[in-house]
Amino acid sequence: MTRERKQRLFVGGAWVEPEGGHYEVVDPATEGLVGWAPEASRDQVYAACAAAREAFGSWSRTAPEERAAILARAADLIRSRFVEYAGLAQAETGATTGTARAMQVGVGAARFARYARVEPAEWAIPPQINEAGPMGKAGVMGALAVRQPVGVVTCITSYNNPWANPAGKIAPALAMGNTVVVKPAPQDPLSVFRMAEALEAAGVPRGVLNVVSGRSVEVGEAAVDSPDVDMVSFTGSTAVGQRIGEVCGRGMKRQLMELGGKGAALVFDDADLASAVSGIGTTFSFYSGQICTAPTRVLVQRGVYQRLVDGLTAYAGHLKVGDPREADTVVGPVISAAHRERVETYVELGRKEGAVVVAGGSRPSYEHGFYVAPTLLVDCTSGMRVVREEIFGPVVSVVPFDDEEEGIALAGDTDYGLIDYVWSGDVARAFRVARRLRAGGVGVNTVGRNMEAPFGGFKKSGVGRDVGSYALHAYSEVQSIVWPG
């Protein structure tokens, strides 16, 4: 995108001028202009939802193979412009080149390709024959359970990954026969419009996909409260998710919520400390800590406490912070000046609460860009706000514990329950502890993810599961068909 181009909305298969004008999208590394994003009006959002409703009937009856073919073509089109799209994603988010290419555009394309290869078993539940039961023994009734699309799905996406996150919602929703209205994060919506262009070129029918953007709260509100919407899929903060849930509850709309996290990393005294340090250290580098799955709350058994702190301090000190376009940069900027101020406020709060800053804690001396130094807070206690609240930046807090029971109790002392981690040389203990953690996922001696495993949270970290076959289930309803045997 050139800086002069002003992006239009995608509504009902047409590119339309936004009634709210345009706003600047800023590169968080340079503070320069990336492009102009459209500001939709409430009426335009409602029009997008109405277009999705009108398109739903025919799209839901389209053969699954035909829907899959469109997704496959979209994946190929995205890959054909891989470098261009990665450059835009990097400019919008401040991601390093490797992250923009592999984890943003690369994963985005892979998700379209994955849902173009849906196995038959993922579409339907195997038929089952049941006795007549309490209604009588006159005969055997046949019963078939099948999956039906939910309807119109609003997808509200996060700013930390404008490719993988929207693709992870759009692709399975379309594969299951739903129609979609996407409301991208206001900080980096331009990449999502490029995704819409790819789907349009791949042959998605008019109204099946719609994209509306804006900084105004009313844009998101309209995308949720529209009477044409049957389901809302949201990735973002717990506070916003709770407000969306209230609206969905009033309308009995289905929800898929991937919300905040404050991942606990339990490090036992028999752990491979080098592995623990490198895994926990991803909090500093991956998306500059702007990721809900990060192990930001480190719980360390006292026998190895100082060794782990020393390892993390050295690790943070060797990470290059700077221009994400430079090959040796490991930590890029956070998304905005406002968010940098929020992260810095938490660091100062930690100091006031009694935490000791042993790495980072001050702003890097760059003339431009929203940079935050990798920061390590030690000698923390479980009651500190820096331990309890999601900071969403390159900040790690460390809390000591004495034995297994105390470690598990500290891990559970949180409102969140997205992803926790366990490091131990005793695999039996690691899995025993993992089963007792109230989290949607647990990494054992790793921070890696399996992209077919269910993803979602306990407690205030979300509602529902997606990824792999679980996403197809999330964007469908189960229907029973019964007949006399």
Side-chain angles (χ1 to χ4, degrees):
M1 163 175 282
T2 63
R3 293 183 177 183
E4 292 75 24
R5 177 177 174 181
K6 292 189 174 182
Q7 179 63 54
R8 292 179 292 175
L9 304 168
F10 190 53
V11 177
W15 294 95
V16 300
E17 291 295 330
E19 293 177 352
H22 292 83
Y23 66 91
E24 293 183 348
V25 175
V26 174
D27 184 329
T30 66
E31 301 184 48
L33 177 67
V34 177
W36 295 89
E39 182 77 36
S41 68
R42 182 179 288 270
D43 286 344
Q44 286 181 309
V45 179
Y46 287 151
C49 298
R53 171 60 60 199
E54 183 176 356
F56 172 69
S58 59
W59 178 249
S60 64
R61 293 189 297 271
T62 300
E65 295 79 8
E66 184 177 339
R67 298 198 295 260
I70 291 174
L71 298 180
R73 289 194 295 271
D76 289 341
L77 287 165
I78 292 168
R79 287 169 176 153
S80 73
R81 306 187 74 169
F82 180 79
V83 174
E84 174 191 343
Y85 288 159
L88 175 59
Q90 183 174 58
E92 287 194 284
T93 65
T96 62
T97 300
T99 296
R101 292 183 177 184
M103 301 307 299
Q104 294 187 343
V105 181
V107 172
R111 285 181 166 170
F112 280 105
R114 189 266 181 252
Y115 293 106
R117 298 190 303 270
V118 174
E119 298 295 329
E122 294 176 320
W123 292 99
I125 299 171
Q128 53 188 349
I129 303 299
N130 300 314
E131 296 290 338
M135 298 304 293
K137 297 288 185 179
V140 175
M141 300 294 290
L144 175 65
V146 298
R147 293 197 177 276
Q148 298 279 17
V150 177
V152 176
V153 180
T154 285
C155 298
I156 303 178
T157 64
S158 60
Y159 72 71
N160 59 353
N161 196 324
W163 280 91
N165 185 257
K169 298 177 185 295
I170 296 168
L174 294 182
M176 284 305 301
N178 302 282
T179 54
V180 172
V181 176
V182 186
K183 193 279 179 187
Q187 298 93 334
D188 50 9
L190 302 178
S191 289
V192 182
F193 285 106
R194 302 291 78 74
M195 192 182 302
E197 289 176 352
L199 281 161
E200 181 188 31
V204 71
R206 294 174 65 89
V208 169
L209 175 73
N210 306 267
V211 183
V212 291
S213 64
R215 293 180 297 182
S216 170
V217 173
E218 73 172 10
V219 176
E221 288 178 343
V224 172
D225 68 26
S226 166
D228 288 308
V229 170
D230 300 294
M231 174 180 174
V232 176
S233 175
F234 171 72
T235 300
S237 72
T238 294
V240 174
Q242 288 172 319
R243 294 197 293 272
I244 290 173
E246 291 173 359
V247 176
C248 289
R250 291 195 292 271
M252 295 304 294
K253 299 181 182 187
R254 303 297 181 261
Q255 302 171 51
L256 179 59
M257 298 282 185
E258 196 266 283
L259 307 177
K262 190 71 176 179
L266 280 83
V267 182
F268 288 94
D269 55 12
D270 60 352
D272 179 338
L273 294 187
S275 171
V277 166
S278 62
I280 295 164
T282 60
T283 301
F284 300 133
S285 57
F286 194 45
Y287 298 123
S288 301
Q290 299 168 112
I291 184 165
C292 52
T293 59
T296 58
R297 191 167 51 107
V298 181
L299 311 175
V300 192
Q301 201 160 14
R302 288 188 190 276
V304 293
Y305 178 83
Q306 193 56 52
R307 288 170 58 198
L308 187 83
V309 167
D310 291 344
L312 287 171
T313 303
Y315 188 96
H318 285 97
L319 300 178
K320 180 189 173 183
V321 181
D323 186 345
R325 294 168 179 84
E326 295 181 1
D328 59 343
T329 292
V330 180
V331 183
V334 296
I335 194 68
S336 66
H339 190 58
R340 176 180 60 186
E341 183 176 346
R342 179 180 186 273
V343 174
E344 290 175 338
T345 298
Y346 267 108
V347 174
E348 289 307 307
L349 176 62
R351 282 193 174 104
K352 293 177 181 177
E353 290 180 316
V356 178
V357 179
V358 294
S362 60
R363 183 180 298 186
S365 57
Y366 291 107
E367 184 177 354
H368 299 290
F370 311 127
Y371 295 99
V372 176
T375 299
L376 184 65
L377 303 173
V378 304
D379 296 342
C380 298
T381 63
S382 62
M384 292 179 177
R385 286 180 61 190
V386 290
V387 176
R388 305 195 67 82
E389 298 177 14
E390 185 177 39
I391 299 174
F392 220 61
V395 180
V396 171
S397 59
V398 187
V399 179
F401 69 90
D402 289 309
D403 56 29
E404 184 176 309
E405 289 299 319
E406 183 186 10
I408 293 170
L410 287 171
D413 185 21
T414 176
D415 290 335
Y416 298 107
L418 188 57
I419 305 290
D420 285 345
Y421 304 88
V422 180
W423 269 274
S424 173
D426 183 341
V427 176
R429 173 165 71 173
F431 276 83
R432 179 177 70 242
V433 171
R435 291 291 301 271
R436 294 184 60 188
L437 298 178
R438 297 289 296 165
V442 181
V444 173
N445 295 325
T446 183
V447 293
R449 290 246 331 260
N450 181 315
M451 290 304 199
E452 289 295 313
F455 181 72
F458 288 11
K459 298 188 278 190
K460 292 185 180 179
S461 284
V463 176
R465 297 293 183 270
D466 67 358
V467 182
S469 299
Y470 298 90
L472 296 169
H473 300 170
Y475 294 102
S476 64
E477 299 272 28
V478 177
Q479 180 186 60
S480 297
I481 301 175
V482 180
W483 65 94

